Amino acid sequence: MSDISRNGHSGSGQPGRIGIGLELDDIHLKILEILRENGRISVAALAERVGISRANAYTRFEALRADGAIKRFTAEIDHGRAGLGITALIFVTVRQQMWKQFRAELARMPEVEYCAITTGQHDAMIQVRVADVAAVHTMVTDRLANIPAVKATETVFILDEVLRRPYVLPGDGRQAARPARRPAQEERDDVPLGKMRFVGAAEGRAALQKDD
Amino acid sequence: MSDISRNGHSGSGQPGRIGIGLELDDIHLKILEILRENGRISVAALAERVGISRANAYTRFEALRADGAIKRFTAEIDHGRAGLGITALIFVTVRQQMWKQFRAELARMPEVEYCAITTGQHDAMIQVRVADVAAVHTMVTDRLANIPAVKATETVFILDEVLRRPYVLPGDGRQAARPARRPAQEERDDVPLGKMRFVGAAEGRAALQKDD
DNA sequence: GTTGAAATTAGTACGAA
DNA sequence: TTCGTACTAATTTCAAC
C-alpha cells in the first residue's frame, strides 16, 4: 500500500537532484548511514557517534524525518523463519491503457513486496514472497492472469539472496557519488563492450507513467 | 557486505519451514507486523498495541532478535533526496566456476543494494543506485565488465518504484499463508495459462550454489 | 550549536498467579 | 509462560549559555 512514487524522488528522480527541501550536508549523510544500519539507535548514542551535541542530533533527526529523507523505520525480517521461504520475480507486460487498474490490483496482493516499472522487454517487475512453490503458481495463474491489465508474465525464482544492503547512500567510499565525473571517451574505449547490453524502453512506453 | 545467504533461510528456504529455533505464534507475528512498519516503536508501546504485558513484550522482542527472525532495524531512505536518483537492474550471466570471485567483487561495490541468484535466462540480478545515468554506464562497462566471472550483462532502468512493503509477512489478510492449501486441478484449469511463462534454471546451474 | 539539569520513559529483576 | 510492580538506568525535553 505504500506508494513510494507519488512524489517521485525514487527511480524517476532527475540525475543529481539533491536536497529539495533540506540541504543535506556530510553530517546528515553520516546520520543516515548510521540509522540505516541501526534503526533503533537512540538519538543520544547517534549524537556521540556522529560527534555532535544531542540537541543538534535531535534537530537534524527531526529535520530528516520531516523532510522525507528518512521515509520510515523498519525491521528486517527473516522470511524463511516467518514461513515465507519462497521468493520469486514476476516480470509483467501491462496493457498500457490499464496501468492504473494494475496498480490497484497490486495493492490488494499482500504477497507483493516490491514493484517497479522498468525499461526493457517487460513493463514491470514484481517481487513476491510466499510459503511454497505452489503459492507462486497460484499467484501467477489465479491472481495475475485474471487481471485484464496483464498481457503476459514471466516468472523466475530466487535461489539465493547474496547481498542486501539496508539502503545505499552516496559516499560509501565511492568515487563518483554526487556530481559524477563523466570519464572522457578516450578513457573508456578499452572496455569490452561486447559483453553487455542496455535495454531501452519498448516503443510507446513513454505514456506509461502519465497513465494514472 | 551483509551476506544474507550463509545460514540460508532466505530464498533457498524449504517450503513451509517455520520456526527452527523459535516457534512463532500469532503474537510473535503481530509483533513483527508492527515492527516492520515502525521499527522505532518503544517496547512499552508495542506491548500495548499487541495486548500483552511489558515484561512479556521484552521477552518476545529479545527472543525474536536472538533467534534471527528479526535480522536488523533499518531506516528507509529517500534515494532521490540523498543524491542517488537513478536505479537500475543489471542481469548478469556468471561463469559457473567463478561464482565465488563474483561475490567478492560485489562486496566491493557500494552502489549495489541487492543481489539475488535467479533461475531463468540469467544467473543473477543486481540492483544498483547511482547519481546519474552515466554512472550506470560506468558501473557496467568499467566495473562489471572487467570481472572475469561476468560473461554478459543486461541492464534495464527502473522508471518508477510503484510499491515497496517494508517486509512481507504471512497472514497479511492472505488465504494461503502458512500451510498453503494447494487447489485441486479441477479448480484451476479455467485459468488462461497461455498468458504466462515459468522460467527454470539453465542447465548445469545446480552447481552454482555449492560453488562458494 | 552546546551543555547541563529536570521530567519522562525505557529496561531489569523478581515474586505471584 | 505470563503478569504486575517496584527499582535502576537511560533518554528526551527544555532552558540557559
Side-chain angles (χ1 to χ4, degrees):
Chain A
M1 254 133 271
S2 35
D3 190 323
I4 54 179
S5 73
R6 290 310 169 143
N7 277 316
H9 292 291
S10 311
S12 56
Q14 276 84 338
R17 199 179 171 195
I18 188 173
I20 289 84
L22 231 191
E23 241 352 279
L24 297 187
D25 59 25
D26 288 348
I27 293 175
H28 284 119
L29 289 179
K30 193 159 185 196
I31 290 173
L32 293 179
E33 202 171 308
I34 293 169
L35 248 22
R36 82 182 162 158
E37 69 190 25
N38 179 9
R40 273 184 88 86
I41 192 174
S42 73
V43 181
L46 185 66
E48 199 184 9
R49 282 191 56 182
V50 176
I52 57 175
S53 70
R54 282 164 306 161
N56 191 355
Y58 276 103
T59 308
R60 285 167 177 275
F61 182 88
E62 260 320 306
L64 287 168
R65 248 179 172 298
D67 184 63
I70 298 172
K71 287 193 290 194
R72 66 181 150 196
F73 291 94
T74 189
E76 242 186 73
I77 307 299
D78 185 323
H79 298 98
R81 233 162 263 216
L84 299 174
I86 300 294
T87 305
L89 299 175
I90 308 171
F91 297 90
V92 182
T93 308
V94 181
R95 284 183 225 283
Q96 286 174 43
Q97 330 72 304
M98 294 174 133
W99 188 256
K100 191 177 183 176
Q101 185 214 5
F102 177 65
R103 273 198 185 206
E105 290 297 327
L106 268 192
R108 292 210 241 133
M109 299 183 189
E111 47 277 87
V112 175
E113 178 172 298
Y114 180 70
C115 172
I117 306 177
T118 64
T119 64
Q121 194 186 345
H122 306 96
D123 298 316
M125 181 188 84
I126 73 181
Q127 184 178 38
V128 300
R129 306 244 183 217
V130 291
D132 50 38
V133 178
V136 177
H137 188 244
T138 307
M139 163 100 208
V140 175
T141 55
D142 289 10
R143 314 255 264 131
L144 282 175
N146 288 323
I147 301 174
V150 172
K151 210 191 283 181
T153 68
E154 190 163 323
T155 304
V156 307
F157 286 91
I158 288 184
L159 301 175
D160 196 5
E161 295 183 282
V162 175
L163 179 88
R164 162 166 261 137
R165 293 216 176 77
Y167 285 95
V168 181
L169 283 179
D172 269 338
R174 178 171 354 188
Q175 66 284 45
R178 264 177 295 176
R181 194 187 78 92
R182 186 188 309 241
Q185 184 60 48
E186 311 83 71
E187 296 180 60
R188 47 190 166 113
D189 58 11
D190 56 330
V191 167
L193 273 167
K195 259 191 183 180
M196 62 228 40
R197 188 176 154 216
F198 288 87
V199 185
E203 267 92 304
R205 184 112 62 76
L208 250 185
Q209 280 198 89
K210 304 175 197 115
D211 214 36
D212 68 326
Chain B
M1 252 138 271
S2 36
D3 191 321
I4 53 180
S5 72
R6 291 309 168 142
N7 277 316
H9 291 291
S10 310
S12 56
Q14 276 82 339
R17 198 178 170 195
I18 188 172
I20 289 84
L22 231 191
E23 246 346 283
L24 297 187
D25 58 24
D26 289 349
I27 293 175
H28 285 120
L29 289 179
K30 193 160 183 192
I31 290 173
L32 294 179
E33 202 170 310
I34 293 168
L35 248 23
R36 82 182 161 156
E37 68 189 28
N38 179 8
R40 269 184 92 86
I41 192 173
S42 74
V43 181
L46 185 66
E48 199 186 9
R49 281 191 56 182
V50 176
I52 57 175
S53 72
R54 232 151 52 90
N56 192 357
Y58 274 105
T59 308
R60 286 167 174 275
F61 182 89
E62 257 321 303
L64 287 168
R65 248 179 173 298
D67 185 63
I70 298 172
K71 288 192 291 193
R72 67 181 148 195
F73 291 94
T74 188
E76 243 185 71
I77 307 300
D78 184 324
H79 297 98
R81 233 162 264 213
L84 299 174
I86 300 295
T87 305
L89 299 175
I90 307 170
F91 298 90
V92 182
T93 308
V94 181
R95 285 183 224 283
Q96 287 173 43
Q97 332 68 310
M98 295 175 132
W99 187 256
K100 192 178 183 174
Q101 186 214 4
F102 177 65
R103 273 198 186 204
E105 290 297 328
L106 268 192
R108 292 209 241 133
M109 300 183 189
E111 47 276 89
V112 175
E113 178 171 298
Y114 180 70
C115 172
I117 306 177
T118 64
T119 63
Q121 194 187 344
H122 306 96
D123 298 315
M125 180 187 86
I126 73 180
Q127 185 179 37
V128 300
R129 305 245 183 216
V130 290
D132 50 39
V133 177
V136 177
H137 188 245
T138 306
M139 163 100 208
V140 174
T141 56
D142 289 9
R143 313 257 261 130
L144 282 174
N146 289 324
I147 302 174
V150 172
K151 208 189 287 179
T153 67
E154 189 164 323
T155 304
V156 307
F157 286 92
I158 288 184
L159 301 176
D160 196 4
E161 295 184 282
V162 175
L163 179 87
R164 161 165 261 136
R165 292 215 176 78
Y167 286 94
V168 181
L169 284 179
D172 267 338
R174 180 171 351 187
Q175 66 284 45
R178 263 177 296 175
R181 192 186 77 93
R182 186 189 307 240
Q185 185 59 51
E186 312 83 72
E187 296 180 60
R188 47 188 167 111
D189 58 11
D190 57 329
V191 166
L193 272 167
K195 259 190 183 181
M196 64 228 38
R197 186 174 156 218
F198 287 87
V199 184
E203 266 92 305
R205 185 110 62 76
L208 252 185
Q209 279 198 88
K210 303 173 200 121
D211 214 34
D212 66 328

